[in-house]
Amino acid sequence: MSRKKDHIPLSQEAFLQNITLQTRRHFLRKCSLALGGMALGGLLNSCGQDTTAMNGVQNLDRFLSPKSPHQTGKVKSVIYLHMAGAPSQLELFDYKPLLHKLDGQSCPPSLLEDKQFAFIRGVPKILGPQAEFKQRGESGAWISDYLPNLASIADELCFLKAVKTDQFNHAPAQLLMQTGHARAGRPSMGAWVTYGLGSENFNLPGFIVLTSGGSNPSAGKHVWSAGFLPTVYQGVHCRSKGAPILFLDNPEGMSRKLREASVDAINAINEEAYETFGDPETLTRIAQYEMAFNMQVEVPKVMDITKEPESILELYGASPGEASFANNVLLARRLVENGVRFVQLFDWGWDAHGTEKGTALDFGFKDKCREIDRPITALILDLKQRGLLEETLIVWGGEFGRTPMAENRNGVNMPFKGRDHHPDAFAMWMAGGGLKKGYVHGETDEIGFHAVEGQVSVYDIQATILHLLGLDHEQLTYTFQGRDFRLTDVFGTVIKEILA
Amino acid sequence: MLDQFIGRFHPLLVHIPIGVLIVAIGFDLISRRRVFRSLEPSVPALYLIGAVGGVFSCITGYLLSSNGEYATEQVNPHMWMGIGLTILAFFLYLFKQKLKPPSIFSLVLPLISFILLTVTGHLGGNLTHGENYLTQYAPWNLSEEQQIFHLTREELPHAYVYTDIVQPILQTKCYRCHSTTKQKGKLRLDEIEWMLKGGKSGIPSLVVGDPEGSEMIHRILLPLVEEEHMPPKGKPQVSSEELTILRWWIAHGGDIEAIVADLPQPLEVRAALDKLIERGSQVKEEIRTVANADPKVVTALEQRGFIVLPISADQNWLSINTLNVDELSEEDWDLLGKLSPQVVSLKTKGVSLSAKSLEVISQLTELQELSLNHSSIQDEELTKLKDLHNLQSLNVTATSISDQGIKAILDLQNLEKVFVFGTDVSQVFSDSVNDSGRIFIERGGYILR
Amino acid sequence: MPKNKTLQTTYQDLLNASTGKTLIMKERPAEIQRTTQVFDRGNWLVKMDTVHPAIPSELHFQDQQPTNRLELANWMTHKEHPLTSRTIVNRLWEQIFGIGIVETVEDMGSQGEPPTHPELLDALAWRMIHENDWSLKQMLKTIFLSSTYQQKSEIGKEAFEKDPRNQLYARGPRVRLSAEQIRDNTLATAGLLSSKMYGPSVMPYQPDGIWVAPYSSMKWKMSEGEDRYRRAIYTYIRRSNPYPAFMTFDATDREVCTSRRVRTNTPLQALVTLNDVSYLEAAKAFAVRMEEAEGGLREKIMLGLELMMVENMSEKQISILEELYEASLVEMAEVTTPTVQLVSHTEEPEALNALEVVANAMLNLDIFLVKN
């Protein structure tokens, strides 16, 4: 709360001093005492808050104050890299040499029985891998040449090669992945995590969402919604242009100094109102205006990647000023470094159906891979060198996978090489604290169509993420409409095999 | 029906003869001493009351056993000993009142009746509560599941599905009411033939190959509030893994001979088996604990913006983060020092360290993680950390530390990782330390091509 | 069919006229009604007993044969039971006092909270049926005119300790206004609120870049003229991209039925009322309105307070506003490039700018955002 007070005219200085010294300081002290008491109350109630208590005196501290996890957590924060549109595992991590051989042959009907596809109709043709694969690092994980940098740090990654989801359309699948339910209305993972653990930085939201690729994910803001949890747990969508948080900037013509004077005046009057009404809510409001005023400076400071040295910008391939995935990844590191609990990145444009050059596996898709390869690798290395990788969890994945068959939309073969949506088996990876390094869990059959070993569900992944944060997915509940809800609904088992 | 109504009073009525007879025997024995001679006249009356109570207990007991829920071989000893005890009590009454026996009998008979009383009572208790009831939680006993289910991962593929996995489940969750001791609802689950036959309702508990059609599974699946739900409300319930195993076994033939490797193992079955094994092998880990931190100190620090949090909801070890504090004052460090028994993790960023603060840090001997990144720490000040024997991870990124400083702390026996990105620590030095294996120095400075 | 030729054409025209269409629920005729079966423990693949529409037999109500929606409607409004009116009254009470007599307004059954004042609830419910003839307006008037409601909302320290959530009603309610109320109240105070009713939803100011969705060409096109200042209830709501200022103030995204909103107090809310263009426009208009007062600064502020319906502003509080005005003037004079954001329709644009700063502060006061 230190503020610079140079170049202030005398009259105003007197005014400011009057408020700052006598009222605000004195008042905030009183405030913090009262808030401290409430925060303690919040702590005592931390989890399993009963809904009846939710309507009384509320304040931010009660909701967002940091809380202890159920068990000792391995990581403190999560960076979730969601490739919206669902990247093809068969071009990146799941190497199936047999597909080369079968390339161009008609798909055997036995595979198509009882299957429903988003776009494939009739009998499609098998499509061979479009990328060159090699085994990488000491672990020997297969990574294609589409991700050359990531391949160089294969030993940091922990693969889930047989993930299964229930949904084969983008919006429901994204919802299932992020909220544990295929229809909108449930709280997202980030909201659950901030509900369970609170936020560390008092000047930043606990759950921040960054988007790139020119569009929000298909499921819209529901994928970072607070659902039925109090709205404070909703993901704050930071914009890449203009003020990072909505309404953060003062209007044109309103200087910082003037804003300070006005916030001080508001708080001074509110203080009087508190004397009259004795409503503790007023105290909280005073604290919130003070905090909002601080955020106006703190948020842009954290969000400003121009502060990074040239070497770091170079490492990420970030160029300040544009809305890019690389910038978002660098920003994610800065946020985690500053105590943000859950950073959710969505990068749009992975829906490689091959309907045009931009969505072809050997053109547009390849470009997308190049766009993310360097920043993601940089993120892992940068967190590692700062000692943050061990207390951060990085999750990479789409909402489902891609078919071994080439897409033939409405029975017509595509002009470019593309694959259709495939929910039964796809690959994701995690990196960071509490995980085995250079480990592969799960395996698919010879053409990557079904899991043959180590199949995990979306719920298992959610349970595991919560587990690494120290939260028990069965205990993290919220009572709504007469029953206790949880992220994993009635499913989910922690994937013990990948835990270190 | 009436017989059952009366019969159910048995567990209640038996306490009358038990209590009265213990008093009678006690009075009988101690009244031999002169001080308690005055008690002697009451002894015959007490034996008589006990004997009459015993008669009622016998009658109700007989009625209760007639419902067939209890195994005859278990009931019989209890019944005959009960009857014997009652007769003995009458005999003692007559003895005391009328016959004035020789003194050897007057000592032996009460002792015999006391032994009889204890054994009968114990057998009765076993009938009602099950045989392990009394000693289940005895300190020398492992938990029931652990005791019964003790397969290891290696043994699993060759284990018999029924004997080694299914039966232990039934034993902990069903046998108490549906086996040799008791046959509630005329049902026994300790032999496959009994299961196929079912209980009073006539619906088979086990339908081979059809878990959903098996009454046993149906009952387990019913909501807890349903009358027919099994095991009854308040009794240990079948866990979801156990249920998975039961269904799996039934679906694949309900065979006694099958071994685990014979049956296909879908994902959820494997997970369930895993969980059961884990539970069986769980040895209670010794967790180091610590007393609760002084709440006043914690609150004072919190008001200054410190994040002071127990590392988990059930532990008192603290992690402290100074993220929201611009500058740490001397008082802050004082307060931090007061938490030295509890603090295992201290994260700071960009603090300027005074002599005082280093003093405090050197006292935080429980510290496992210490982050002093972007701080003013100097090489010679690192020697202050030499007593932090629990320290595992030290972060001094973006400071003016050099090889010299790091050397001073390489002796710390638990130290595993040192983060020195953005310092003057040399590549040669860090490589030499890393080669030696125990401590890893992360120098960073990665470049991508 | 009328015989007269002209009448016939008019009739035809009327029948074929293109009017707005309203969807209504209609019961299917008996012959095409669906059979409804109970799913065995929720499993829709296992169908159990066939069921028919009826009033739950527990309620012992039989009005007509066959049982249909009319019977349900009759039951709901039947004078013999208070269930419907209790629920309504409780919700009205919650709107007014912040907490319902039964706090869990969504569940007045055995899973909910018991009422704090059961007799009151019953009395109001009875009145709702028998005296007010189901008129919500009448009911609201009754509550508003009660001496319970008209108490001062001052909270003494002791009173707060005894009854922090005012469930004993020893004082008047003091709760933060809802998202929609805050917008309407601000616009009304600024004199901008449009009283236009009905018609399609409107799109008031919303920052750029909120509506970015793939596979959709929908755009947020700011409404013109008074449509920008319609009541909050007319604001266009898109579920996947809800109106941000409302969401900050605990409105819901309308995905699930929410009968009770949790009231939060966050810094993001402060940022909305301080910096959202809608609220800045309101501050500007409010300043212009205050400017019209005869006399000096004090009179202008007094007029503003009157418009805000704030009573008993203390001398000290008013002087803080005056000082803010002076400080703004000084600050404005300091800035070398004159500010451009305001329409300068007075001689002294700085003075109006300064007044706007004051107006913005006034519209952010606790007493304005909270119902006293």
Side-chain angles (χ1 to χ4, degrees), chain A residues 183-186 227-229 480-481 485, chain C residues 239 252-259:
Chain A
R183 282 172 292 285
R186 298 278 174 90
F228 41 71
L229 295 177
F480 175 69
Q481 286 184 347
F485 282 82
Chain C
R239 285 186 302 179
T252 68
D253 58 10
R254 306 192 177 206
E255 275 303 336
V256 281
C257 170
T258 314
S259 44

Side-chain angles (χ1 to χ4, degrees), chain A residues 19-40:
Chain A
I19 290 173
T20 318
L21 297 179
Q22 286 180 17
T23 47
R24 189 157 52 79
R25 287 276 172 252
H26 142 91
F27 206 67
L28 277 174
R29 199 164 306 131
K30 233 198 277 180
C31 235
S32 65
L33 279 173
L35 287 177
M38 286 181 219
L40 195 67

Side-chain angles (χ1 to χ4, degrees), chain A residues 15 52 58 215-216 221-222 231-232 239 247 255 259 269-270 272 277 279-280 282 285 288-289 296, chain C residues 103 155 160 174 208 212 214 239-241 250 255 263 265-266 275 316-317 323 331 360 364 366:
Chain A
F15 162 71
T52 53
Q58 307 281 326
S215 172
N216 286 347
K221 306 205 161 168
H222 297 305
T231 49
V232 285
R239 302 172 328 148
F247 315 125
S255 68
R259 179 49 88 204
I269 295 173
N270 285 352
E272 290 289 307
F277 293 102
D279 186 354
T282 313
R285 183 152 292 114
Q288 305 304 9
Y289 272 76
Q296 290 190 303
Chain C
E103 184 177 346
I155 312 170
F160 181 77
R174 193 170 202 282
D208 290 338
V212 214
R239 285 186 302 179
S240 56
N241 285 292
D250 308 322
E255 275 303 336
R263 228 173 268 120
N265 193 345
T266 72
N275 292 337
K316 189 170 169 200
Q317 285 168 309
E323 283 169 38
E331 172 69 17
N360 178 250
N364 269 283
D366 184 67

